[in-house]
Every structure is written in structure tokens, then in C-alpha cells.
Amino acid sequence: MERKIRAGLMAYGMSGKVFHAPFLDQHPGFELVAIVERSKNDAVKDYPNIIQYRDQESLLADDSIELIVVNTPNFTHYEYAKAALQAGKHVLIEKPLSVLKTEAEELFALAFRKNLQVFAYQNRRFDSDYLSVKEVLDSQKLGNIIEVHFRFDRYRPEVSHKFFKEQAMPGAGILYDLGAHIIDQAISLFGVPDDFVKTYGSNRPVTEVDDYAHVHLKYKNGLNVYISTSLLVANPLPSYVLHGTKGSFTKHRTDVQEEQLLAGIKPLDANYGIEKPNSEGILVYYDIENQQHQELLKAKQASYMHLFDHVYEAIVHQKPYYVKQNEIIAQLSILEK
């Protein structure tokens, strides 16, 4: 690497511990300099060489830091990202980039004026299962795609202690949480939809937010994409189902990166990102002679480290980032209530 980008984390909860710090620590192009932790001291125990700040303002006042990771609750993303940009920092913002599309537009405009960059942290574009879907689409074995179903489900009947996800406030609810991932995946594969229809549900006792959401993305070429996410699915269906004029592809949510990171496996470990056995996707298609073929497709090794590769290349070499601004604006248009 030509140089190291000095980076700071705004929080050290689950997101900071699992999805950011291990990568910034192991990537040769970054130096993890500082982490904000208001009351605990977990960050210093895990990374003894970092500076521990007790508030975001102190982090932003550190002139040695070039990149700030905004991994705080959703409703704070706009405020903290704007402050970081005004302090002269590039920002990598957890999904969703903001609660409202007008906030994102303002952040992009501010970054442009200050010759800085705003990056959306859409790590699920580097999930092994999603990459398998992309590989099948690139192969064109399915022909013209006409119907797609993406799901992201969990079984969490109890209301979480995380107030910013469960209380009636901006950016709360399952569509902003899990739905943001698969809406981004759909837009990245099929483009910005021409129209959409949303349905919400609140099914757990005493819930204040949506714990079920369904979005129908409509395209003028006849493609229909159905996005579903729920916290009350005990036996998950396949997370990816695609039907085309020549065949179909189905795959469960099989990426292991989050599970491995929670278990303490590091991003540069040899087995990181390799799916478990019997996780193959099922491809059924017809050839030019109308003969049916069935294949079990094994996913390639995946890694969220590629996201940080893109951030590095964008800052150091001004290469285009893999998540485009119009894709973020379209995603937020769908997420907004």
C-alpha cells in the first residue's frame, strides 16, 4: 500500500467490534487510531494501541484522523456524518446512510464542496450467497429474469433491548434494519425500480415498530422483485429465488462471515468466508435443445475486506466507489415512511 489511512470508529458496540474494527486493524491500507467508547473499556482491551475517546466530539477534533466510521444508531447518522465532513474527514456510514433521502443528498453535496467522500457501508454485497446470485445472473443461464424473491428473516419474538431499533423513532423498524440490505442488493443487480409498493406489519406483542415488511419493486421491462423481511420466521425459506425464461435458481442465506466474526475468527484467517458443506445453491435450466440441467453451485470464498479495499482505492486513487449515490437515494426513497 502506498500509505495508510488513519481511521476512527464512532462506537464500539456490536457493529464496531464485529464489522469494522477487525478489518481496519488487519487491512494493510488502514491504521485504526481511535475508538469512541463512552463508559466501557472494551476497545482498549481488544486494541491496546488505540486512543480511547469518551465522546464523538473529541474524535472529530483529532486532526490526524482522515476517515471516520459512523456506526452509531440510525437516527444519528446524518448529524454525526455532517459533523465529520465539516471537520474535514471522509465518512464511511453504516446502513442506512441516513433516515431521509434529503439528508443523504445534503451529505453528498457537502462532501463535494469540501472535496471529501461519503461511503455507504453496504457489506452484504460481499456475502457469499449474494455473490452466487450475481454469478448465476452473469452466466445468463436463466435467460431473461422475470420474477425475483429476496428474503432476510429471523426469529426474534421478544422485543430487543436496542431502543434505536425497537422504539418509535426515525430509522427504527425491520425495513430500515434488515430490509436495507436486500433492497440494496436488488438495486445493485437490477437497477433502480420504476415503481414500488410497500406493506408493513407489527405482529409481536407490545412492539412499537414494524417487525414485518414486504416491498414489491416494479420494472418497466416486466421484471418484478419481491423483498420480504420478518422477525417471526422460525423455519426460513430460501433467501434468494430467481425465475427466468430459461431456468430458476434458489439459495438459502448461507454466508458465514457474521457468525465467524462473532466467534472471534479474523478476516485474514484461511477459513474465513468459506460456506459450510451442503450450502450449495440449486440451478435448474434448459439448454438450446430444451434439455433440462441441474447444478449444485458452491459459493466462492467471500470477505467484507473487499469493501475496505474499495474505500482505500476511492480515497487514495480516486476510483469510483462500488455503491453509487443514485443507488443510495433510491434505496432511501423506498425505506422512507
CSV table of all heavy atoms in Angstrom, one decimal, residues 163-209:
chain,number,residue,atom,x,y,z
A,163,PHE,N,-32.9,0.1,21.9
A,163,PHE,CA,-34.0,1.1,21.8
A,163,PHE,C,-34.1,1.7,20.4
A,163,PHE,O,-35.2,2.0,19.9
A,163,PHE,CB,-33.9,2.2,22.9
A,163,PHE,CG,-32.8,3.2,22.6
A,163,PHE,CD1,-33.0,4.3,21.9
A,163,PHE,CD2,-31.4,2.9,23.0
A,163,PHE,CE1,-32.0,5.3,21.6
A,163,PHE,CE2,-30.4,3.8,22.7
A,163,PHE,CZ,-30.7,5.0,22.0
A,164,PHE,N,-32.9,1.9,19.8
A,164,PHE,CA,-32.9,2.6,18.5
A,164,PHE,C,-33.5,1.7,17.4
A,164,PHE,O,-33.7,2.2,16.3
A,164,PHE,CB,-31.5,3.1,18.1
A,164,PHE,CG,-30.5,2.0,18.2
A,164,PHE,CD1,-30.2,1.3,17.1
A,164,PHE,CD2,-29.8,1.8,19.4
A,164,PHE,CE1,-29.2,0.3,17.1
A,164,PHE,CE2,-28.8,0.8,19.4
A,164,PHE,CZ,-28.5,0.0,18.3
A,165,LYS,N,-33.6,0.4,17.6
A,165,LYS,CA,-34.3,-0.4,16.6
A,165,LYS,C,-35.7,-0.7,17.0
A,165,LYS,O,-36.5,-1.0,16.1
A,165,LYS,CB,-33.5,-1.8,16.6
A,165,LYS,CG,-32.1,-1.7,16.0
A,165,LYS,CD,-31.6,-3.1,15.8
A,165,LYS,CE,-30.2,-3.1,15.1
A,165,LYS,NZ,-29.7,-4.4,14.9
A,166,GLU,N,-36.1,-0.6,18.2
A,166,GLU,CA,-37.4,-1.0,18.7
A,166,GLU,C,-38.4,0.1,19.1
A,166,GLU,O,-39.6,-0.2,19.3
A,166,GLU,CB,-37.2,-2.0,19.8
A,166,GLU,CG,-36.5,-3.3,19.5
A,166,GLU,CD,-37.3,-4.3,18.7
A,166,GLU,OE1,-38.4,-3.9,18.3
A,166,GLU,OE2,-36.9,-5.5,18.6
A,167,GLN,N,-37.9,1.3,19.4
A,167,GLN,CA,-38.8,2.3,19.8
A,167,GLN,C,-39.2,3.2,18.6
A,167,GLN,O,-38.5,3.2,17.6
A,167,GLN,CB,-38.1,3.2,20.8
A,167,GLN,CG,-37.9,2.5,22.2
A,167,GLN,CD,-37.3,3.4,23.2
A,167,GLN,OE1,-37.2,4.7,23.0
A,167,GLN,NE2,-36.9,2.9,24.4
A,168,ALA,N,-40.4,3.8,18.7
A,168,ALA,CA,-40.9,4.5,17.6
A,168,ALA,C,-40.1,5.8,17.4
A,168,ALA,O,-40.5,6.9,17.9
A,168,ALA,CB,-42.4,4.8,17.8
A,169,MET,N,-39.1,5.7,16.6
A,169,MET,CA,-38.2,6.9,16.3
A,169,MET,C,-37.7,6.8,14.9
A,169,MET,O,-37.8,5.7,14.3
A,169,MET,CB,-37.1,7.0,17.3
A,169,MET,CG,-36.1,5.8,17.2
A,169,MET,SD,-34.7,6.0,18.3
A,169,MET,CE,-35.4,6.3,19.9
A,170,PRO,N,-37.2,7.9,14.3
A,170,PRO,CA,-36.8,7.8,12.9
A,170,PRO,C,-35.7,6.7,12.7
A,170,PRO,O,-34.8,6.6,13.5
A,170,PRO,CB,-36.2,9.2,12.7
A,170,PRO,CG,-36.9,10.1,13.7
A,170,PRO,CD,-37.1,9.2,14.9
A,171,GLY,N,-35.9,5.9,11.6
A,171,GLY,CA,-34.9,4.9,11.3
A,171,GLY,C,-35.1,3.6,12.0
A,171,GLY,O,-34.2,2.7,11.8
A,172,ALA,N,-36.1,3.5,12.8
A,172,ALA,CA,-36.3,2.2,13.5
A,172,ALA,C,-37.2,1.3,12.7
A,172,ALA,O,-37.8,1.7,11.7
A,172,ALA,CB,-37.0,2.5,14.9
A,173,GLY,N,-37.3,0.0,13.1
A,173,GLY,CA,-38.1,-1.0,12.4
A,173,GLY,C,-37.3,-1.9,11.5
A,173,GLY,O,-36.1,-1.6,11.1
A,174,ILE,N,-37.9,-3.0,11.1
A,174,ILE,CA,-37.2,-4.0,10.4
A,174,ILE,C,-36.8,-3.6,9.0
A,174,ILE,O,-35.8,-4.1,8.4
A,174,ILE,CB,-37.9,-5.3,10.4
A,174,ILE,CG1,-37.0,-6.5,10.0
A,174,ILE,CG2,-39.2,-5.2,9.6
A,174,ILE,CD1,-37.6,-7.9,10.2
A,175,LEU,N,-37.6,-2.8,8.3
A,175,LEU,CA,-37.3,-2.4,7.0
A,175,LEU,C,-36.0,-1.6,6.9
A,175,LEU,O,-35.2,-1.8,6.0
A,175,LEU,CB,-38.4,-1.6,6.3
A,175,LEU,CG,-38.3,-1.4,4.8
A,175,LEU,CD1,-38.3,-2.8,4.1
A,175,LEU,CD2,-39.4,-0.5,4.2
A,176,TYR,N,-35.8,-0.7,7.9
A,176,TYR,CA,-34.6,0.1,7.9
A,176,TYR,C,-33.4,-0.8,8.4
A,176,TYR,O,-32.2,-0.5,8.0
A,176,TYR,CB,-34.7,1.2,8.9
A,176,TYR,CG,-35.2,2.5,8.3
A,176,TYR,CD1,-36.5,2.9,8.5
A,176,TYR,CD2,-34.4,3.3,7.6
A,176,TYR,CE1,-37.0,4.1,7.9
A,176,TYR,CE2,-34.8,4.5,7.0
A,176,TYR,CZ,-36.1,4.9,7.2
A,176,TYR,OH,-36.6,6.1,6.6
A,177,ASP,N,-33.7,-1.9,9.1
A,177,ASP,CA,-32.6,-2.7,9.6
A,177,ASP,C,-32.2,-3.8,8.6
A,177,ASP,O,-31.2,-3.7,7.9
A,177,ASP,CB,-33.1,-3.4,10.9
A,177,ASP,CG,-32.0,-4.1,11.6
A,177,ASP,OD1,-30.8,-3.9,11.3
A,177,ASP,OD2,-32.3,-5.0,12.5
A,178,LEU,N,-33.0,-4.9,8.5
A,178,LEU,CA,-32.7,-5.9,7.6
A,178,LEU,C,-33.1,-5.6,6.2
A,178,LEU,O,-32.4,-6.0,5.2
A,178,LEU,CB,-33.4,-7.2,8.1
A,178,LEU,CG,-33.0,-7.7,9.5
A,178,LEU,CD1,-33.7,-9.1,9.8
A,178,LEU,CD2,-31.5,-7.9,9.6
A,179,GLY,N,-34.2,-4.9,6.0
A,179,GLY,CA,-34.7,-4.6,4.6
A,179,GLY,C,-33.7,-3.8,3.8
A,179,GLY,O,-33.6,-3.9,2.6
A,180,ALA,N,-32.9,-2.9,4.5
A,180,ALA,CA,-32.0,-2.1,3.8
A,180,ALA,C,-30.9,-2.9,3.1
A,180,ALA,O,-30.5,-2.5,2.0
A,180,ALA,CB,-31.3,-1.1,4.8
A,181,HIS,N,-30.6,-4.0,3.6
A,181,HIS,CA,-29.6,-4.9,3.0
A,181,HIS,C,-30.1,-5.4,1.6
A,181,HIS,O,-29.5,-5.3,0.6
A,181,HIS,CB,-29.2,-6.1,3.8
A,181,HIS,CG,-28.4,-5.8,5.0
A,181,HIS,ND1,-27.2,-5.1,5.0
A,181,HIS,CD2,-28.6,-6.0,6.4
A,181,HIS,CE1,-26.7,-5.0,6.2
A,181,HIS,NE2,-27.5,-5.5,7.0
A,182,ILE,N,-31.3,-6.0,1.7
A,182,ILE,CA,-31.8,-6.7,0.4
A,182,ILE,C,-32.3,-5.7,-0.6
A,182,ILE,O,-32.3,-6.0,-1.8
A,182,ILE,CB,-32.8,-7.8,0.8
A,182,ILE,CG1,-33.8,-7.4,1.8
A,182,ILE,CG2,-32.0,-9.0,1.3
A,182,ILE,CD1,-34.9,-8.4,2.1
A,183,ILE,N,-32.8,-4.6,-0.1
A,183,ILE,CA,-33.2,-3.6,-1.1
A,183,ILE,C,-31.9,-3.1,-1.9
A,183,ILE,O,-32.0,-2.9,-3.1
A,183,ILE,CB,-33.9,-2.4,-0.4
A,183,ILE,CG1,-35.3,-2.8,0.1
A,183,ILE,CG2,-34.0,-1.2,-1.4
A,183,ILE,CD1,-36.0,-1.8,0.9
A,184,ASP,N,-30.9,-2.9,-1.1
A,184,ASP,CA,-29.6,-2.5,-1.8
A,184,ASP,C,-29.1,-3.6,-2.8
A,184,ASP,O,-28.7,-3.3,-3.9
A,184,ASP,CB,-28.5,-2.2,-0.8
A,184,ASP,CG,-27.2,-2.0,-1.4
A,184,ASP,OD1,-27.0,-0.9,-2.0
A,184,ASP,OD2,-26.3,-2.9,-1.3
A,185,GLN,N,-29.2,-4.8,-2.3
A,185,GLN,CA,-28.8,-5.9,-3.2
A,185,GLN,C,-29.6,-6.0,-4.5
A,185,GLN,O,-29.1,-6.1,-5.6
A,185,GLN,CB,-28.9,-7.3,-2.5
A,185,GLN,CG,-27.9,-7.5,-1.4
A,185,GLN,CD,-28.0,-8.8,-0.7
A,185,GLN,OE1,-29.1,-9.5,-0.8
A,185,GLN,NE2,-27.0,-9.3,-0.1
A,186,ALA,N,-30.9,-5.8,-4.4
A,186,ALA,CA,-31.8,-5.8,-5.5
A,186,ALA,C,-31.5,-4.6,-6.5
A,186,ALA,O,-31.4,-4.8,-7.7
A,186,ALA,CB,-33.3,-5.7,-5.1
A,187,ILE,N,-31.2,-3.4,-5.9
A,187,ILE,CA,-30.9,-2.3,-6.8
A,187,ILE,C,-29.6,-2.5,-7.5
A,187,ILE,O,-29.4,-2.2,-8.6
A,187,ILE,CB,-30.9,-1.0,-5.9
A,187,ILE,CG1,-32.3,-0.6,-5.5
A,187,ILE,CG2,-30.2,0.2,-6.7
A,187,ILE,CD1,-32.4,0.5,-4.6
A,188,SER,N,-28.6,-3.1,-6.8
A,188,SER,CA,-27.3,-3.3,-7.3
A,188,SER,C,-27.4,-4.3,-8.5
A,188,SER,O,-26.6,-4.2,-9.5
A,188,SER,CB,-26.3,-3.8,-6.3
A,188,SER,OG,-26.6,-5.2,-5.9
A,189,LEU,N,-28.3,-5.3,-8.5
A,189,LEU,CA,-28.4,-6.3,-9.5
A,189,LEU,C,-29.3,-5.9,-10.7
A,189,LEU,O,-29.0,-6.2,-11.8
A,189,LEU,CB,-28.9,-7.6,-8.9
A,189,LEU,CG,-27.9,-8.3,-7.9
A,189,LEU,CD1,-28.7,-9.5,-7.3
A,189,LEU,CD2,-26.7,-8.8,-8.6
A,190,PHE,N,-30.4,-5.2,-10.3
A,190,PHE,CA,-31.4,-5.0,-11.3
A,190,PHE,C,-31.6,-3.5,-11.6
A,190,PHE,O,-32.4,-3.1,-12.5
A,190,PHE,CB,-32.7,-5.6,-10.9
A,190,PHE,CG,-32.6,-7.1,-10.6
A,190,PHE,CD1,-32.7,-7.5,-9.3
A,190,PHE,CD2,-32.3,-8.0,-11.6
A,190,PHE,CE1,-32.6,-8.9,-8.9
A,190,PHE,CE2,-32.2,-9.3,-11.3
A,190,PHE,CZ,-32.3,-9.8,-9.9
A,191,GLY,N,-31.0,-2.6,-10.9
A,191,GLY,CA,-31.1,-1.2,-11.2
A,191,GLY,C,-32.2,-0.6,-10.3
A,191,GLY,O,-32.9,-1.3,-9.5
A,192,VAL,N,-32.4,0.7,-10.4
A,192,VAL,CA,-33.4,1.5,-9.7
A,192,VAL,C,-34.8,1.1,-10.2
A,192,VAL,O,-35.0,1.2,-11.4
A,192,VAL,CB,-33.2,3.0,-9.8
A,192,VAL,CG1,-34.3,3.8,-9.1
A,192,VAL,CG2,-31.8,3.3,-9.1
A,193,PRO,N,-35.7,0.7,-9.4
A,193,PRO,CA,-37.0,0.3,-9.9
A,193,PRO,C,-37.8,1.5,-10.4
A,193,PRO,O,-37.6,2.7,-10.0
A,193,PRO,CB,-37.7,-0.3,-8.7
A,193,PRO,CG,-37.1,0.4,-7.5
A,193,PRO,CD,-35.6,0.6,-7.9
A,194,ASP,N,-38.8,1.3,-11.3
A,194,ASP,CA,-39.6,2.3,-11.8
A,194,ASP,C,-40.7,2.7,-10.9
A,194,ASP,O,-41.3,3.8,-10.9
A,194,ASP,CB,-40.2,1.9,-13.2
A,194,ASP,CG,-39.0,1.7,-14.2
A,194,ASP,OD1,-38.3,2.7,-14.5
A,194,ASP,OD2,-38.8,0.5,-14.6
A,195,ASP,N,-41.1,1.7,-10.0
A,195,ASP,CA,-42.2,2.0,-9.1
A,195,ASP,C,-42.0,0.9,-7.9
A,195,ASP,O,-41.3,-0.1,-8.1
A,195,ASP,CB,-43.6,1.8,-9.7
A,195,ASP,CG,-44.7,2.4,-8.9
A,195,ASP,OD1,-44.4,3.0,-7.9
A,195,ASP,OD2,-45.9,2.2,-9.3
A,196,PHE,N,-42.7,1.2,-6.8
A,196,PHE,CA,-42.7,0.2,-5.7
A,196,PHE,C,-43.9,0.3,-4.9
A,196,PHE,O,-44.6,1.4,-4.8
A,196,PHE,CB,-41.4,0.3,-4.9
A,196,PHE,CG,-41.3,1.6,-4.2
A,196,PHE,CD1,-41.8,1.8,-2.9
A,196,PHE,CD2,-40.6,2.7,-4.7
A,196,PHE,CE1,-41.7,3.0,-2.2
A,196,PHE,CE2,-40.5,3.9,-4.1
A,196,PHE,CZ,-41.1,4.1,-2.8
A,197,VAL,N,-44.3,-0.8,-4.2
A,197,VAL,CA,-45.4,-0.8,-3.3
A,197,VAL,C,-44.9,-1.5,-2.0
A,197,VAL,O,-44.2,-2.5,-2.0
A,197,VAL,CB,-46.6,-1.6,-3.9
A,197,VAL,CG1,-47.7,-1.7,-2.8
A,197,VAL,CG2,-47.1,-1.0,-5.2
A,198,LYS,N,-45.3,-0.9,-0.8
A,198,LYS,CA,-44.8,-1.4,0.5
A,198,LYS,C,-46.0,-1.8,1.3
A,198,LYS,O,-47.0,-1.2,1.3
A,198,LYS,CB,-44.0,-0.3,1.2
A,198,LYS,CG,-42.7,0.1,0.6
A,198,LYS,CD,-41.9,1.0,1.6
A,198,LYS,CE,-42.5,2.3,1.7
A,198,LYS,NZ,-41.7,3.2,2.5
A,199,THR,N,-45.7,-2.9,2.1
A,199,THR,CA,-46.6,-3.3,3.2
A,199,THR,C,-45.9,-3.5,4.4
A,199,THR,O,-44.8,-4.1,4.5
A,199,THR,CB,-47.3,-4.7,2.7
A,199,THR,OG1,-47.9,-4.5,1.5
A,199,THR,CG2,-48.3,-5.1,3.8
A,200,TYR,N,-46.4,-3.0,5.5
A,200,TYR,CA,-45.8,-3.2,6.9
A,200,TYR,C,-46.7,-4.0,7.8
A,200,TYR,O,-47.9,-4.1,7.6
A,200,TYR,CB,-45.6,-1.8,7.5
A,200,TYR,CG,-44.6,-0.9,6.9
A,200,TYR,CD1,-45.1,0.2,6.1
A,200,TYR,CD2,-43.3,-1.0,7.2
A,200,TYR,CE1,-44.2,1.1,5.5
A,200,TYR,CE2,-42.4,-0.1,6.6
A,200,TYR,CZ,-42.8,0.9,5.8
A,200,TYR,OH,-41.9,1.8,5.2
A,201,GLY,N,-46.0,-4.7,8.8
A,201,GLY,CA,-46.8,-5.4,9.8
A,201,GLY,C,-46.1,-5.3,11.1
A,201,GLY,O,-44.8,-5.2,11.2
A,202,SER,N,-46.9,-5.2,12.2
A,202,SER,CA,-46.4,-5.2,13.6
A,202,SER,C,-47.0,-6.3,14.3
A,202,SER,O,-48.2,-6.1,14.7
A,202,SER,CB,-46.6,-3.8,14.2
A,202,SER,OG,-46.0,-2.8,13.5
A,203,ASN,N,-46.4,-7.4,14.5
A,203,ASN,CA,-47.0,-8.6,15.0
A,203,ASN,C,-46.6,-9.1,16.3
A,203,ASN,O,-47.3,-9.9,17.0
A,203,ASN,CB,-46.7,-9.8,13.9
A,203,ASN,CG,-47.3,-9.4,12.6
A,203,ASN,OD1,-48.4,-9.2,12.4
A,203,ASN,ND2,-46.3,-9.3,11.6
A,204,ARG,N,-45.5,-8.7,16.9
A,204,ARG,CA,-45.1,-9.1,18.2
A,204,ARG,C,-45.8,-8.3,19.3
A,204,ARG,O,-46.1,-7.1,19.0
A,204,ARG,CB,-43.5,-8.9,18.4
A,204,ARG,CG,-42.7,-9.7,17.5
A,204,ARG,CD,-41.2,-9.2,17.5
A,204,ARG,NE,-41.2,-7.8,17.1
A,204,ARG,CZ,-40.1,-7.0,17.4
A,204,ARG,NH1,-39.1,-7.5,18.0
A,204,ARG,NH2,-40.2,-5.7,16.9
A,205,PRO,N,-46.1,-8.9,20.4
A,205,PRO,CA,-46.8,-8.2,21.5
A,205,PRO,C,-46.0,-6.9,21.9
A,205,PRO,O,-44.7,-7.0,22.0
A,205,PRO,CB,-46.9,-9.2,22.6
A,205,PRO,CG,-46.8,-10.5,21.9
A,205,PRO,CD,-45.9,-10.3,20.7
A,206,VAL,N,-46.6,-5.8,22.1
A,206,VAL,CA,-46.1,-4.6,22.6
A,206,VAL,C,-45.0,-3.9,21.6
A,206,VAL,O,-44.3,-3.0,22.0
A,206,VAL,CB,-45.5,-4.6,24.0
A,206,VAL,CG1,-46.5,-5.2,25.0
A,206,VAL,CG2,-44.2,-5.5,24.1
A,207,THR,N,-44.9,-4.4,20.4
A,207,THR,CA,-43.9,-3.8,19.5
A,207,THR,C,-44.4,-2.4,19.2
A,207,THR,O,-45.6,-2.1,19.0
A,207,THR,CB,-43.7,-4.6,18.3
A,207,THR,OG1,-42.7,-4.1,17.5
A,207,THR,CG2,-45.0,-4.7,17.4
A,208,GLU,N,-43.4,-1.5,19.0
A,208,GLU,CA,-43.7,-0.1,18.6
A,208,GLU,C,-43.3,0.1,17.1
A,208,GLU,O,-43.6,1.2,16.6
A,208,GLU,CB,-42.9,0.9,19.5
A,208,GLU,CG,-43.3,0.9,20.9
A,208,GLU,CD,-42.5,1.9,21.7
A,208,GLU,OE1,-41.9,2.8,21.1
A,208,GLU,OE2,-42.4,1.8,23.0
A,209,VAL,N,-42.7,-0.9,16.5
A,209,VAL,CA,-42.2,-0.7,15.1
A,209,VAL,C,-42.6,-1.8,14.3
A,209,VAL,O,-43.2,-2.8,14.8
A,209,VAL,CB,-40.7,-0.6,15.1
A,209,VAL,CG1,-40.2,0.6,16.0
A,209,VAL,CG2,-40.0,-1.8,15.7
